[in-house]
Amino acid sequence: MEILLRFVPTNPLRLTASRIILTNVAHYTRLAEVGKLEPPKTSGKYDTGQLILHRVFGYRGVILFPWLARVYDRDAINKKESSESNSADSSGDSLSNVGKEVKGRTHTFYQVLIDTRDAPYITVQTNVDMRPEWKKKRAQTEAVTFLGNQESSRSLYAIPGLDYVAHDDIIPYTSVERVPLQHELFDKFLMHNPDKDPPFIAQETLRAWQKKNHPWLELSDVHRETTEGVRVTVIPFYMGSRESQNSAVYWWRYCIRLENLGAAAVQLRERHWRIFSLSGTLETVRGRGVVGQEPLLARHAPAFQYSSHVSLQAPSGHMWGTFRMEREDGYTFDCRIPPFSLESKPDDAAPAPPSAAA
C-alpha cells in the first residue's frame, strides 16, 4: 500500500507510503484520508466499479466499462526514417503524411466517471464547429458530447464528467469514504454490493445506456506522435449526421492530449489545422492557442487535454496539422499533430441521455 499526496494546482500526485491523502489548497493546506492504493494491474482488465486515480491529471474516478482500441504510434516509424525527411513531412503539412503506414496495437481504455469534487487540468470546448466565427463558450470539466435530435433546437448536448483513460494511466484504490465518488450519474449507473470486489456493480441503467449509445461512445482508434519531447495524442469519435439544406452534414468530436515529456517548460502558442474532405475540399484553420487558452506544460502540470468538434459535407475525411510551441528561452518549434481519419458509421438511432436509458 502507498500514500498519495494530491496537491492543487501543483503536481497532483505524490506517492510515499500507505494511505491516499487528498489536499485542498487555497491559502492553507488541509489533508484528509480518502483511501488506500492498490497495486496496478500488469495483466488483465479492471472491472466495472473500480475506483481510480488518474496517473497524470490526478482526479478521482470510477470505471464504467472498457474499450479495446487500436493505438497508432507514429514515433515507431519516425525512428526508422532517415534524417533527410523532406520539410513538408517534418511540418506535418503534407497529405502524404496521412498515408504513412502505421501498424496499430490493441490497447485497453476505460470509460470513466470523474468525481465532481476534483478539478482536473482538462477542458472541453462546447463549440460546435471549426470556423473562425465560433462563439466562444466557457470551458468545463471533460465531457462527452452528443448530437441533439434532428427536430431539437439544440445542436449538441454534453454529459460532463466523462473521460477515456488508458490502462497505463489507471491507479486503482479502495475508498474509506462512505460516499466514494460524487457525480449525478454515480447512483444511476452503479449500485453498492459489499460482497463484490470492487464493491460497486453495474445497474441495468448503465448497461442500457451503453448499448443505446455504443456507436457514439465507442473508442476505436488512438493516434500518437512526439515532437521534441511533446507528445500529442488524438482520439476521434463519430457523432452522427444531420440534414441541412437538403444535404447531409457529418459530425465528429476529437479529444487531444498534449504531454510534455521533458524537464523544460513549453507553452502552446498557435494551432494550424488542415482538414481534407472526401468531397475534395481542403480547409486550413489557423489561430492563437486552443479553446481560448495557451496552456503551459511545465513540471507542476505537464499535460493538457481538450475536446472540440468538426463537421464535413462528406462521410469521411482526414485531419492533421501542427501546434506552434515556445520554450522559456524563446525557442519555438512546430509540434506535429498525428494525421487521423474521420470515418462515419450508419446512423441507426439518435443518442440517448442517461435519463432515457432505462
Side-chain angles (χ1 to χ4, degrees), residues 100-127:
K100 288 183 181 177
E101 184 178 357
V102 183
K103 292 182 179 180
R105 294 187 177 182
T106 302
H107 195 87
T108 301
F109 284 71
Y110 299 93
Q111 194 90 63
V112 168
L113 206 59
I114 302 173
D115 196 313
T116 57
R117 294 171 293 182
D118 297 337
Y121 298 98
I122 51 178
T123 60
V124 60
Q125 182 167 8
T126 54
N127 302 335

Side-chain angles (χ1 to χ4, degrees), residues 157-337:
Y157 70 88
I159 300 178
L162 281 173
D163 198 7
Y164 293 82
V165 183
H167 185 93
D168 295 342
D169 285 338
I170 295 291
I171 300 176
Y173 78 96
T174 58
S175 177
V176 297
E177 296 181 298
R178 186 175 60 86
V179 180
L181 190 126
Q182 292 185 12
H183 191 288
E184 62 179 351
L185 297 179
F186 182 75
D187 291 334
K188 293 181 181 179
F189 282 166
L190 299 169
M191 179 172 56
H192 185 257
N193 187 331
D195 297 328
K196 297 291 185 178
D197 184 22
F200 299 97
I201 60 174
Q203 297 204 60
E204 181 58 32
T205 306
L206 174 59
R207 289 188 286 266
W209 182 74
Q210 179 187 7
K211 181 179 179 180
K212 174 71 174 179
N213 293 284
H214 185 277
W216 330 114
L217 291 168
E218 184 182 17
L219 184 159
S220 58
D221 295 339
V222 179
H223 305 266
R224 289 176 179 162
E225 186 164 6
T226 304
T227 307
E228 299 201 29
V230 176
R231 182 166 61 199
V232 178
T233 302
V234 183
I235 307 177
F237 300 88
Y238 179 60
M239 299 176 66
S241 65
R242 293 292 179 267
E243 292 295 325
S244 176
Q245 298 179 350
N246 299 322
S247 64
V249 178
Y250 300 83
W251 289 89
W252 290 266
R253 178 173 66 92
Y254 57 93
C255 178
I256 291 187
R257 172 166 149 184
L258 298 99
E259 189 169 4
N260 184 4
L261 305 179
V266 61
Q267 189 164 13
L268 190 157
R269 294 299 190 186
E270 300 175 3
R271 68 187 185 280
H272 176 203
W273 281 105
R274 305 276 278 178
I275 310 161
F276 176 76
S277 170
L278 187 64
S279 63
T281 62
L282 180 61
E283 183 179 1
T284 298
V285 177
R286 294 180 181 269
R288 295 289 298 180
V290 291
V291 293
Q293 302 183 50
E294 296 182 18
L296 176 67
L297 308 179
R299 183 166 299 185
H300 69 280
F304 181 83
Q305 183 172 306
Y306 75 95
S307 295
S308 194
H309 307 86
V310 62
S311 64
L312 300 177
Q313 291 184 322
S316 65
H318 289 92
M319 288 180 63
W320 71 100
T322 56
F323 293 124
R324 174 61 56 89
M325 311 298 293
E326 182 179 2
R327 299 201 185 278
E328 292 175 300
D329 60 4
Y331 171 72
T332 62
F333 62 95
D334 286 332
C335 181
R336 291 183 295 274
I337 304 169

Side-chain angles (χ1 to χ4, degrees), residues 68 136 290 304 342:
L68 281 179
K136 296 296 180 185
V290 291
F304 181 83
L342 302 171

Side-chain angles (χ1 to χ4, degrees), residues 11-30:
N11 191 337
L13 295 179
R14 185 178 300 175
L15 302 178
T16 56
S18 115
R19 295 168 300 164
I20 302 176
I21 305 295
L22 171 68
T23 303
N24 290 329
V25 177
H27 299 294
Y28 61 92
T29 298
R30 180 174 64 84

